[in-house]
């Protein structure tokens, strides 16, 4: 199913809930809390270092904030000049930047096993992908269970 892109700014377009939207967004926030709890449970560095502090503190907060901030209202749209404007799915630039830093950060976390490192990258990728999916096609993401599949993968990554 292809949904038609709204035009104008998000403030100009009336927002109607997609069927199952509230439940999907509650599930997103819950999945983020589970992922954040897993990240907090990872072993710390043998000696304190900036990456350890970031992984133990900021990253779990970023994951929780990101999954609680997802919204289909910030989807791709046509601007007033007819040009395509990319939506964010609810993630601000700071959050997207923090998620994009995960592959670099795990390189500086040799105390984590390769399995833990790849799972961290999977979590960041899935959260980023969920926002992009919401931005590109909120109807499919919500009404056809695409987000539910993302959270099932996230749960597998943190199990």
């Amino acid at each position: 199913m292809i949904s038609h892109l709204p035009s104008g700014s998000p403030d100009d377009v009336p927002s109607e809930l997609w069927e199952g939207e509230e439940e999907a967004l509650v599930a997103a926030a819950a999945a983020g809390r589970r992922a954040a709890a897993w990240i907090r449970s990872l072993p710390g560095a043998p000696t304190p270092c900036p990456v350890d502090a970031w992984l133990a503190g900021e990253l779990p907060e970023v994951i929780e904030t990101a999954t609680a901030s997802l919204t289909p209202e910030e989807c791709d749209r046509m601007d007033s000049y007819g040009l395509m404007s990319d939506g964010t799915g609810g993630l601000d630039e700071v959050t997207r930047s923090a998620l994009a830093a995960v592959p670099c950060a795990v390189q500086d976390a040799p105390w984590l096993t390769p399995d833990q490192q790849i799972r961290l990258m999977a979590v960041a990728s899935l959260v980023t992908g969920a926002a992009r999916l919401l931005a590109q096609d909120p109807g499919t993401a919500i009404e056809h269970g695409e987000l539910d599949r993302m959270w099932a993968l996230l749960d597998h990554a943190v199990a």
Side-chain angles (χ1 to χ4, degrees):
M1 165 195 219
I2 297 176
S3 55
H4 295 283
L5 296 175
S7 62
S9 75
D11 296 332
D12 296 339
V13 179
S15 175
E16 293 182 26
L17 291 179
W18 294 94
E19 184 177 330
E21 178 178 336
E22 290 180 47
E23 295 86 358
L25 297 179
V26 166
R33 287 190 299 275
R34 290 189 300 274
W38 174 78
I39 294 168
R40 288 183 184 106
S41 76
L42 292 172
T47 58
C49 66
V51 171
D52 183 39
W54 185 77
L55 288 172
E58 185 179 340
L59 182 59
E61 293 297 323
V62 165
I63 297 296
E64 286 181 316
T65 299
T67 55
S69 301
L70 293 175
T71 177
E73 292 175 12
E74 293 185 26
C75 61
D76 296 347
R77 61 187 69 252
M78 302 296 280
D79 70 15
S80 57
Y81 299 104
L83 300 174
M84 188 66 183
S85 175
D86 287 336
T88 65
L91 299 187
D92 62 29
E93 185 57 39
V94 171
T95 302
R96 285 193 310 272
S97 178
L99 292 170
V102 171
C104 297
V106 299
Q107 299 301 313
D108 293 331
W111 66 90
L112 296 176
T113 67
D115 182 66
Q116 292 166 331
Q117 291 176 335
I118 198 70
R119 288 171 184 240
L120 279 169
M121 289 192 293
V123 168
S125 178
L126 287 162
V127 172
T128 302
R132 193 70 232 134
L133 183 62
L134 267 178
Q136 290 176 344
D137 191 357
T140 298
I142 294 169
E143 293 180 348
H144 296 284
E146 297 292 328
L147 282 178
D148 291 338
R149 283 191 281 285
M150 298 287 271
W151 308 137
L153 289 170
L154 186 120
D155 284 339
H156 182 76
V158 302

